[in-house]
Amino acid sequence: MNLKKRLENVKDRINKAAFKCSRAPESIHLVAVSKTIPANRVREAIEAGVTILGENYVQEARNKFNALGTYPVSWHFIGHLQSNKAKYAVRLFDLIHSVDTLKIARELNKQAKKVDKVQDVLMQINISKEQSKSGSDIENAINLIKDIVFFENLSVKGFMAMPPFFNNPEKARPYFIALRNLRDQIQKTFPDVILNELSMGMTGDFEVAIEEGATLVRIGTAIFGERR
Ligand SMILES: *Cc1c(COP(=O)(O)O)cnc(C)c1O
């Protein structure tokens, strides 16, 4: 299958999943995860209709942006962000999915202020409580957001999580439900902050994520093929 066919196939599956749970397909945004994919392939994806790119590494994204920055696409950061890259991140990305510490939030706020930007962010939650995973602890999430909402140059839009990898997508469902429940709970505490976005679901499990309320699905392999 070529890239265009793959992309159409993914969009079709998104629409079907939305239909199945009576959601508007427009409420689900496809983030095409282009980490490790060379610029010429990413260009092909944009020309085939991709409108949001998800990148994991700031330097790699900067290089691609130099080649593709004139295309009207939105760039999202979905990887683990180090403080020393915050400066570039606020210049490149429309949405940063992976804010998980006060330290990185503070640095992003500072750098966004310098370029007179209000940076949209999501809070990444370690929903599976795996030691190795990035993301704020569930217990800490409320404290972190309490601080973040005071930063004038950050705007929190919702949450992101990555369940463990399973061969059976049904096994990821409880984690998607847990993220949505956490959002609902935090939303009650902060009624003035609109926490609509749920970034969850990848190639192996995005249909289940959509059924549980995903508004951003991050899909790489199903669009670009296996990464090398
Ligand atoms: C690589 C990656 C994805 C995409 O994974 P696929 O299984 O290729 O769809 C999504 N989210 C994050 C955070 C990633 O690092």
Side-chain angles (χ1 to χ4, degrees):
M1 241 196 293
N2 65 23
L3 200 156
K4 197 172 165 65
K5 282 251 168 63
R6 281 206 178 103
L7 179 64
E8 274 162 19
N9 185 259
V10 167
K11 287 183 174 173
D12 209 52
R13 286 170 61 190
I14 291 173
N15 288 343
K16 286 205 174 87
F19 186 76
K20 190 179 161 196
C21 57
S22 309
R23 292 184 56 196
E26 309 80 59
S27 68
I28 300 143
H29 298 281
L30 170 60
V31 179
V33 175
S34 46
K35 63 170 176 246
T36 77
I37 307 297
N40 61 334
R41 288 279 286 164
V42 179
R43 176 180 289 115
E44 212 185 309
I46 296 169
E47 285 172 354
V50 155
T51 56
I52 308 174
L53 297 171
E55 287 281 345
N56 291 61
Y57 309 101
V58 174
Q59 188 53 47
E60 185 188 331
R62 287 178 78 196
N63 293 341
K64 275 180 225 175
F65 190 83
N66 284 337
L68 304 170
T70 55
Y71 285 94
V73 290
S74 186
W75 295 69
H76 287 194
F77 188 75
I78 63 170
H80 178 69
L81 189 58
Q82 289 164 316
S83 300
N84 61 352
K85 300 284 166 58
K87 172 180 168 190
Y88 302 108
V90 301
R91 285 164 172 77
L92 273 176
F93 298 107
D94 298 309
L95 181 66
I96 295 171
H97 292 223
S98 49
V99 172
D100 61 354
T101 61
L102 184 57
K103 184 177 177 218
I104 193 68
R106 187 180 283 132
E107 189 62 23
L108 284 170
N109 182 58
K110 179 174 138 194
Q111 297 296 340
K113 197 183 189 89
K114 282 190 194 166
V115 290
D116 201 20
K117 177 185 185 183
V118 176
Q119 176 69 57
D120 288 344
V121 299
L122 304 179
M123 274 181 53
Q124 183 175 352
I125 307 295
N126 185 359
I127 205 77
S128 57
K129 305 184 175 183
E130 288 168 282
Q131 287 268 303
S132 59
K133 284 264 172 84
S134 313
S136 159
D137 292 346
I138 297 170
E139 296 75 21
N140 260 333
I142 196 118
N143 287 325
L144 184 55
I145 197 167
K146 232 175 238 159
D147 289 323
I148 293 180
V149 294
F150 277 106
F151 289 133
E152 283 183 2
N153 292 77
L154 293 187
S155 176
V156 195
K157 301 293 184 190
F159 300 89
M160 182 269 241
M162 239 172 123
F165 177 81
F166 298 109
N167 282 315
N168 175 3
E170 278 303 324
K171 294 199 168 149
R173 191 185 294 275
Y175 298 94
F176 297 141
I177 294 174
L179 189 69
R180 189 189 63 222
N181 286 343
L182 180 69
R183 187 275 307 276
D184 293 349
Q185 183 203 330
I186 293 180
Q187 182 67 85
K188 279 191 202 130
T189 315
F190 299 94
D192 300 335
V193 187
I194 297 163
L195 300 167
N196 281 348
E197 305 296 341
L198 289 175
S199 169
M200 55 191 200
M202 321 198 323
T203 291
D205 55 21
F206 68 87
E207 280 124 328
V208 173
I210 288 170
E211 287 170 29
E212 298 306 337
T215 62
L216 293 153
V217 286
R218 310 178 310 268
I219 300 176
T221 309
I223 298 172
F224 293 103
E226 291 289 338
R227 282 179 296 274
R228 286 158 209 268

